Amino acid sequence: MKVTVFGIGYVGLVQAAVLAEVGHEVVCVDVDQAKVDNLEKGSIPIYEPGLTPLVTSNYESGRLVFTTDAKAGVEHGDLIFIAVGTPPDEDGSADLKYVLTVAQTIAQHMQSHKIIINKSTVPVGTADKVKARVAETLASANKPLSFDVVSNPEFLKEGAAVKDCMRPDRIILGVDSKTAEDKLRELYSPFNRNHNKVITMDIRSAELTKYAANCMLATKISFMNEIANLAELFGADIEQVRHGIGSDPRIGYQFIYPGCGYGGSCFPKDVQALVKSANKAGYTARVLESVEAVNYQQKEKLFGYIMEHFNNDVKGKTVALWGLSFKPNTDDMREASSRVLMEKLWEAGAVVQAYDPEAMEETQRIYGDRDDLRLMGTKESALNQADFLVICTEWQVFRAPDFELIKSKLSNPLIFDGRNLFEPKRMADYGLQYYAIGRGLSVKGNQ
């Protein structure tokens, strides 16, 4: 099938590469000529396991094409995906200007029936706005052409996006046309062979499904962080509590790991956007407002531990920081907890020596050169002449370090762990003082 994808960002690039991999002919359109040039040279703008070979092989086969020519893209695709960004507006609501600009562009160039597929995460009612924009543009050009608009939200996890796209749990289709539904079923048939994963519904329900899924997961995280805060006050161990409640099949173990707050491009933005959509509809989403408030508070948790330990004075101290990306297996630092911590440490006069397996270039891009940020080549070198260690991201490479080396390199045998990677008793046995989330304010080592 002939497919066009507008927007070569995280969602668009992964979806395009996976569709090309199963044999569809895919054209990707983006306004950024440099991005297109780099992709044609095999330079992928994001880190995602398995994505680079997938893009390279399908580009070389001719099934995946990159261009800035919107007209050519519209002419090519019978099915046209809109996968551009929907960044938060000043009030936190989703900004639809890029989505509607693409809709208008499609209408300006189309000369035959098109199925327009909203892949971007958009508020309920966006499909109606896309339909209206396309219809207005066609009418002004005196082009009496038919078209369909479909909501087909993505459910990709950063760090596992290729796998999620190749083997989806479900394929949500918000449709009001049998023709469009049949075409989308044909498009996704290679991913729907073992059992039927396609769930069809009305368009507005599909749009809300995406927000509801992300907000539910964010709610589980914030709930667990709140319980972790209570565990500290009550003298309980949140890890034992997690095992206790996770064994209940109604709750399960996923997304109940306490930590120093969630980040990324989805959860923070989508919770805010649904809250704003609710407000516009005259409803106060109290649970979601609390989810956001707890997460904001949780991102300051590590800094609070540090300042309490050092009596509110870290001026001149050097902090070893392991983990910069908002989660493992990505270089994405959007809304990352590490950013909140670093910025507060700098404000308090500390120097940060940081290491991350993939997010070093992104950190450099965001913060540039500064005297109080040192990007180190290994996790061990980040410890050199540091006063203490902080862990913000649960990369596998951090899970089994040399604790004797850590103790010998740090001026203070002290770890602040924002992801609960280690057992407190084991840290005490190594002579390390250990702060973790919801496991008591500290466990003192045998110093």
Side-chain angles (χ1 to χ4, degrees), residues 53-126:
L54 199 65
V55 170
T56 301
S57 63
N58 283 285
Y59 174 73
E60 291 174 350
S61 74
R63 289 191 302 271
L64 186 60
V65 175
F66 303 105
T67 184
T68 57
D69 188 341
K71 184 174 184 291
V74 173
E75 288 175 351
H76 168 82
D78 299 316
L79 300 98
I80 303 178
F81 283 87
I82 300 177
V84 294
T86 52
D89 214 336
E90 291 182 3
D91 65 350
S93 60
D95 187 347
L96 297 178
K97 64 184 176 186
Y98 301 115
V99 170
L100 297 178
T101 296
V102 172
Q104 185 170 330
T105 299
I106 294 169
Q108 287 169 343
H109 295 301
M110 62 187 279
Q111 300 297 330
S112 60
H113 181 89
K114 303 292 181 183
I115 298 175
I116 302 168
I117 305 156
N118 269 342
K119 199 71 178 175
S120 303
T121 301
V122 293
V124 177
T126 298

Side-chain angles (χ1 to χ4, degrees), residues 107-158:
Q108 287 169 343
H109 295 301
M110 62 187 279
Q111 300 297 330
S112 60
H113 181 89
K114 303 292 181 183
I115 298 175
I116 302 168
I117 305 156
N118 269 342
K119 199 71 178 175
S120 303
T121 301
V122 293
V124 177
T126 298
D128 294 334
K129 294 179 180 179
V130 169
K131 286 181 183 178
R133 181 65 62 90
V134 173
E136 290 166 4
T137 306
L138 290 174
S140 65
N142 196 27
K143 292 195 292 187
L145 299 173
S146 63
F147 64 95
D148 290 299
V149 175
V150 174
S151 174
N152 174 219
E154 54 84 16
F155 297 97
L156 308 180
K157 299 186 294 293
E158 289 194 38

